Structures are given as structure tokens and as C-alpha cells.
């Protein structure tokens, strides 16, 4: 199951639990205990997911630059200009490789 | 295959950050460089373009250790059979041999692959460029990866790009390469095979076509008659590409080049040069390969003095399989049809000795059948 799926399932579980608590008369201490456990579970599920998604981008110039097509066009043009007319491959190559 | 613009080759899709496995890693963890440096020139100091080559153990191998442990035995990385073949043909003198080895390493071995050059980018030998913005591809895309390298022979045959020859029937059934060539075959299994036909988990026609010998099968009789006599391709391949006389060198600017004198479309049945218990057929399709006595003469004179140790017409499995082919139309389309067989007259004089075991002696050509 994907992380989004897990988070959704946890959310659904919490909603059902709240509804259950309304329907069934529970002792207050069990009621509060269950709520805290469920909240903690959701928090623990959400935290690593968000952390993972952020890792590649957080304060990362590699990511901000390489996901920006405009910047890349500008830089690759700069590189090509600096390289001049130097060919990348020999013109003497003939035939199918 | 459409070439990529320079910026397209290095563009990363921001969706990559959502990859729950690879997106969790910082770019520098695999590629090096300094992600905190806003100046791209200095930030790229020490950057490794393909961190999976030549050793993926500290990158891909940290999670995919089961695959990485066999990495060196993958032919896509080692190109081991090509090395073995050239070594067998090379002059035994150490000084000469080392020059041949260096030339082979510089030219032939440039066409290797790696984890990254199949699953993340196009191979370097076809100028690289990220596939789908660095999103990891579990199954490498056929035309951007597989036939980008295996193009002039396999790709053209399979895709039907040889004039007058239809594509492989499996292509028309929408098969991609990985339908037959599984990851286990591509990744190596730790064994040092002499050639790709020996690889244990390589594809076999019978893996799918199990019932061809069943009594109820339409052509069971023909399949039984020819069993172990001819390979599947002898009856089911169409004409395919052959190359000759490859020479390598460097131009005035020091850039590497190769020159292939000619390629031609032909279909030839030869004597199986690699006959084993696994490949018992006497007759197989053979393809002319580009090697020549003078392939490395730019670097060393008489480098391949043992040239005749191996044939230049090699066992081939052309990728333009059809159910009905010109040679299986009737019995006598093949029987007694000299044009289909590799005869002495088809082989260049200077290659005769090398191909002596592959050339079909006239007395082995099956006789014409009267009842056809």
C-alpha cells in the first residue's frame, strides 16, 4: 500500500473510532486513552512520509536547479558556448555500430 | 529514437521527491557534489554522473544487494564474451596482446551498461540523458534503452525496419524485450559464461511454445522431423543484418571512431559452431560479425594473428521471427536450396580458414524431396 493509502486508512480508522465512541458508551478513561493512541499512530505515520518526500528537495540546490527547465536551458547554453565548436564525436565514424 | 536536447538530458521531474524509496535520499548521497553550494560550477565538483558504474555496492547495492552481488557477471557490465573472443584471436606476445586489450577496452568496451544506464538514463554509448526525469524505471523502456544499443541488428529486425521484411511476430503481439529477457538474465547470476547462449536463465522458445511436439499440434510432425536437427530460427527467421570489417582508431583531434565497411541483409544456415547438449541442432542461422584481421591495426600491427581460431559467421538468433517464412513455405523451399546455406563461395577468401567449421559442405545440404 502506498504511503498516501496508509495515511487515508489511518484517517478512516480514526473517524470510525470516534463514531464508535459516540455509539457505545465507554468509560471516559478508555475513551481518552483510545483517542490519544489513535492520534499518536496517525502522527507517527504522517511524520516519516513527509520527511521522506522532503529529503530530496530540502535546502538542496541540486533539486531546485535540476527541476527548473528554464535554468537548465540557460546553463546548458552557457556550457555549449564555452565549449565552442569542439565536436563531441568523430566525424570519421562510418557505418552501423 | 528521438535525441534529447542538452537540458532534457539532465532535467529532474519534481515528482522524484515523492518516490518513497529513492526520493528519500539526497542527490549528493549517490552523485556527490555539494548540494548547499548555489554556484553550479563549484557545486558540481566531484559529481559522479553514473554512481552505479563500475561499482554499485555503495549506491544501488545498499538496498538491492542481491542484484548488485552479481553485477560484475552481467554481460551488460562486463562484456565478457567479447573480451574472451578478442583474447582468443589476439597475438600471444604480451606487448602486442596488451595493445589489443587497450584498444578493445577503449572502443568495444565503451558500449557497456550499468544499473543506472538501464533504469535511470539512456546508456552513455547513445549519449545518455535521463529517462522520464530521473524517475526510476523498473522495466527499462525498449526503444530508449534496449534497442538504443542493440539497434542495427536486433532493433531493426524486431521493429520491422529492414526494407521488405516484416517485424517480429512477437512485436506485433506487443511484446517488449523483458517479456522474454527476464531481469535474472540481464543482471547476471554470478557465473562466468563463455557466451550469452550458455546463460541458464536466457530465453527459450519452448518456454512458451510448449505444445509444438504434442500430437494434437498443427505442425507436430514437422517439428518432430526437425527436432535437434535445426534451430527454431532456421525455419522461423526472416533475412537479417550482417556487418563486415570493423576498423577502429582515433582521428586528428584524438576522438575515437569506427568504420564498418559494409552491412548486408542475408539469411544463412550454417553448421552449429556451438553444438552442445543444450544446443544439439546441427544447423543454425549464422550472422556475419564485424571483426576483421585489421580491426585494431590503427593501434598495433598484426594484433589478431590468431584470427582463424573463431568463425566470423556466428551462431545467431535473429529477432524477426515469423510463423511462415520463405524457407518453410514448402519442404523444397529449403531442401536442396543452396542459396540458404553458408557455402564456401559465400565466404571471403581471407575468412575461409576461420569459418571452416561453419561452412556447410555440399553433401550435408538436405536433398530435394520428390513428394513436395
Amino acid at each position: 500500500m502506498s504511503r498516501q493509502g496508509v495515511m487515508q486508512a489511518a484517517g478512516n480508522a480514526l473517524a470510525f473510532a470516534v463514531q464508535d465512541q459516540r455509539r457505545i458508551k465507554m468509560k471516559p478513561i478508555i475513551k481518552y486513552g483510545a483517542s490519544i493512541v489513535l492520534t499518536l499512530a496517525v502522527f507517527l505515520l504522517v511524520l516519516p512520509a513527509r520527511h521522506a518526500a522532503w529529503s530530496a528537495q530540502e535546502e538542496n540546490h541540486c533539486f531546485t536547479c535540476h527541476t527548473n527547465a528554464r535554468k537548465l536551458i540557460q546553463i546548458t547554453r552557457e556550457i555549449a558556448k564555452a565549449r565552442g565548436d569542439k565536436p563531441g564525436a568523430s566525424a570519421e565514424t562510418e557505418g552501423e555500430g | 529514437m528521438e535525441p534529447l536536447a542538452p537540458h532534457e538530458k539532465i532535467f529532474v521531474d519534481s515528482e522524484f521527491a515523492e518516490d518513497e524509496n529513492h526520493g528519500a535520499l539526497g542527490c549528493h548521497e549517490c552523485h556527490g557534489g555539494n548540494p548547499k553550494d548555489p554556484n553550479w560550477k563549484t557545486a558540481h565538483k566531484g559529481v559522479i554522473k553514473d554512481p552505479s558504474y563500475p561499482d554499485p555496492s555503495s549506491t544501488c547495492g545498499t538496498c538491492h544487494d542481491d542484484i548488485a552481488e552479481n553485477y560484475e557477471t552481467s554481460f551488460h557490465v562486463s562484456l565478457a564474451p567479447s573480451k574472451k573472443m578478442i583474447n582468443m584471436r589476439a597475438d600471444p606476445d604480451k606487448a602486442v596482446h596488451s595493445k589489443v586489450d587497450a584498444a578493445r577496452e577503449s572502443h568495444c568496451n565503451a558500449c557497456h551498461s550499468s544499473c543506472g544506464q538501464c533504469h535511470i538514463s539512456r546508456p552513455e554509448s547513445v549519449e545518455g540523458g535521463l529517462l522520464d526525469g530521473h524517475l526510476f524505471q523498473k522495466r527499462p523502456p525498449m526503444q530508449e534503452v534496449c534497442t538504443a544499443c542493440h539497434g542495427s541488428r536486433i532493433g531493426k529486425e524486431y521493429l520491422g525496419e529492414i526494407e521488405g521484411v516484416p517485424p517480429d511476430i512477437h512485436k506485433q503481439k506487443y511484446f517488449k524485450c523483458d517479456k522474454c529477457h527476464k531481469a535474472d538474465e540481464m543482471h547476471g547470476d554470478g557465473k562466468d559464461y563463455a557466451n550469452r547462449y550458455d546463460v541458464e536463465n536466457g530465453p527459450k522458445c519452448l518456454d512458451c511454445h510448449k505444445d509444438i511436439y504434442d500430437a494434437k499440434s498443427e505442425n507436430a510432425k514437422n517439428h518432430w522431423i526437425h527436432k535437434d536437427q535445426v534451430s527454431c530460427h532456421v525455419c522461423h527467421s526472416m533475412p537479417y543484418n550482417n556487418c563486415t570489417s570493423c576498423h577502429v582508431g582515433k582521428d586528428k583531434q584524438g576522438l575515437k571512431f569506427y568504420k564498418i565497411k559494409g552491412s548486408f541483409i542475408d539469411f544463412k544456415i550454417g553448421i552449429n559452431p556451438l553444438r552442445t547438449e543444450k544446443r544439439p541442432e546441427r544447423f543454425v542461422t549464422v550472422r556475419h560479425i564485424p571483426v576483421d584481421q585489421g580491426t585494431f591495426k590503427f593501434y598495433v600491427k598484426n594484433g589478431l594473428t590468431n584470427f582463424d581460431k573463431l568463425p566470423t559467421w556466428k551462431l545467431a538468433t535473429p529477432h524477426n521471427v515469423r510463423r511462415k517464412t520463405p524457407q518453410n513455405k514448402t519442404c523444397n523451399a529449403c531442401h536442396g536450396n543452396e542459396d540458404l546455406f553458408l557455402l564456401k563461395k559465400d565466404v571471403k577468401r581471407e575468412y575461409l580458414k576461420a569459418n571452416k567449421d561453419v561452412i556447410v559442405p555440399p553433401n550435408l545440404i538436405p536433398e530435394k524431396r520428390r513428394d513436395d
Side-chain angles (χ1 to χ4, degrees):
Chain A
M1 193 191 284
S2 71
R3 187 167 289 126
Q4 275 181 329
V6 172
M7 282 159 60
Q8 198 164 355
N12 290 342
L14 184 60
F16 279 124
V18 172
Q19 281 173 5
D20 279 352
Q21 284 169 10
R22 282 178 192 156
R23 266 188 255 127
I24 308 160
K25 255 196 166 180
M26 293 168 88
K27 281 184 182 173
I29 189 147
I30 298 174
K31 202 163 85 179
Y32 289 123
S35 303
I36 288 165
V37 167
L38 276 166
T39 313
L40 256 173
V42 170
F43 181 72
L44 286 172
L45 273 168
V46 170
L47 185 70
R50 300 200 66 152
H51 172 75
W54 284 340
S55 288
Q57 17 178 351
E58 66 185 16
E59 260 314 289
N60 185 333
H61 289 288
C62 321
F63 197 82
T64 50
C65 188
H66 278 268
T67 52
N68 184 335
R70 192 184 293 263
K71 249 186 197 174
L72 290 179
I73 291 171
Q74 189 191 326
I75 290 171
T76 49
R77 279 184 185 161
E78 215 177 294
I79 294 169
K81 205 174 167 188
R83 190 179 282 166
D85 291 334
K86 202 178 161 194
S90 174
E92 287 194 38
T93 291
E94 276 173 33
E96 295 175 303
Chain B
M1 183 179 65
E2 283 288 312
L4 294 171
H7 74 279
E8 286 176 314
K9 290 184 177 182
I10 50 172
F11 178 77
V12 175
D13 192 322
S14 52
E15 202 184 301
F16 177 60
E18 304 298 323
D19 178 336
E20 57 187 335
N21 300 311
H22 306 104
L25 302 164
C27 310
H28 64 287
E29 289 180 58
C30 291
H31 291 282
N34 183 2
K36 289 188 175 150
D37 186 347
N39 181 339
W40 67 267
K41 284 177 188 163
T42 45
H44 282 81
K45 206 173 172 191
V47 157
I48 302 159
K49 194 176 178 183
D50 177 2
S52 66
Y53 188 84
D55 177 13
S57 57
S58 61
T59 50
C60 314
T62 53
C63 293
H64 306 280
D65 50 339
D66 52 332
I67 297 170
E69 71 178 349
N70 294 326
Y71 180 81
E72 281 174 18
T73 61
S74 160
F75 285 170
H76 280 90
V77 176
S78 71
L79 303 170
S82 137
K83 184 179 178 181
K84 283 177 184 144
M85 302 295 136
I86 297 290
N87 280 349
M88 276 181 81
R89 290 187 167 105
D91 191 276
D93 178 82
K94 269 189 180 174
V96 177
H97 200 289
S98 68
K99 282 182 185 170
V100 169
D101 219 32
R104 178 194 53 75
E105 195 69 38
S106 163
H107 287 270
C108 316
N109 257 36
C111 281
H112 64 77
S113 195
S114 66
C115 314
Q117 290 180 50
C118 282
H119 295 283
I120 305 164
S121 78
R122 294 179 179 186
E124 272 305 303
S125 56
V126 291
E127 297 180 4
L130 294 172
L131 299 164
D132 210 4
H134 205 291
L135 298 178
F136 283 57
Q137 311 290 309
K138 189 174 170 66
R139 292 187 167 80
M142 182 170 81
Q143 275 167 284
E144 283 176 284
V145 174
C146 315
T147 60
C149 290
H150 301 277
S152 60
R153 286 165 287 272
I154 306 303
K156 274 190 171 180
E157 292 159 16
Y158 194 71
L159 301 169
E161 290 171 2
I162 298 174
E163 209 183 329
V165 181
D168 195 293
I169 188 66
H170 302 94
K171 159 76 173 64
Q172 289 183 317
K173 304 266 182 199
Y174 304 104
F175 283 21
K176 304 281 186 208
C177 308
D178 64 348
K179 182 84 177 174
C180 297
H181 298 280
K182 303 291 181 195
D184 288 348
E185 181 198 359
M186 298 294 108
H187 291 154
D189 61 4
K191 291 181 189 159
D192 180 28
Y193 295 107
N195 61 69
R196 65 194 151 94
Y197 299 108
D198 283 350
V199 175
E200 273 167 30
N201 40 27
K204 294 170 204 77
C205 306
L206 288 174
D207 289 347
C208 290
H209 300 278
K210 290 185 178 84
D211 58 355
I212 59 164
Y213 299 116
D214 286 356
K216 283 179 193 165
S217 163
E218 199 183 329
N219 266 320
K221 189 183 159 197
N222 280 329
H223 284 130
W224 272 109
I225 290 171
H226 294 93
K227 189 176 184 288
D228 297 346
Q229 294 299 314
V230 302
S231 69
C232 307
H233 290 82
V234 165
C235 294
H236 294 287
S237 280
M238 297 294 284
Y240 43 86
N241 204 3
N242 297 265
C243 298
T244 59
S245 189
C246 180
H247 287 71
V248 294
K250 280 184 179 169
D251 66 14
K252 283 175 188 165
Q253 290 167 295
L255 296 168
K256 293 185 284 184
F257 68 80
Y258 65 82
K259 288 183 183 195
I260 302 258
K261 235 181 198 168
S263 49
F264 58 96
I265 307 298
D266 208 345
F267 174 92
K268 286 292 173 199
I269 300 167
I271 301 289
N272 186 355
L274 296 171
R275 206 171 178 187
T276 61
E277 202 176 315
K278 199 180 154 193
R279 286 182 305 273
E281 303 89 11
R282 172 181 270 182
F283 294 109
V284 293
T285 37
V286 287
R287 190 197 298 270
H288 199 275
I289 55 166
V291 73
D292 182 84
Q293 285 103 330
T295 291
F296 300 112
K297 76 174 179 192
F298 179 90
Y299 297 96
V300 55
K301 263 188 182 174
N302 300 321
L304 303 181
T305 49
N306 281 322
F307 187 80
D308 295 338
K309 275 196 171 177
L310 293 167
T312 59
W313 284 89
K314 251 183 87 179
L315 168 65
T317 47
H319 280 54
N320 51 14
V321 164
R322 306 290 299 182
R323 188 162 183 253
K324 288 182 179 168
T325 59
Q327 69 274 17
N328 73 15
K329 226 173 181 178
T330 62
C331 299
N332 286 340
C334 180
H335 286 241
N337 184 356
E338 282 194 358
D339 289 347
L340 297 181
F341 293 85
L342 184 74
L343 305 176
K344 211 172 164 183
K345 68 174 173 60
D346 301 313
V347 179
K348 277 169 84 178
R349 200 157 47 93
E350 59 266 40
Y351 296 159
L352 275 174
K353 209 172 165 192
N355 292 293
K356 65 180 187 329
D357 296 331
V358 195
I359 293 171
V360 181
N363 63 316
L364 284 188
I365 297 174
E367 282 179 12
K368 249 190 193 337
R369 289 171 58 105
R370 286 181 191 159
D371 56 342
D372 192 22

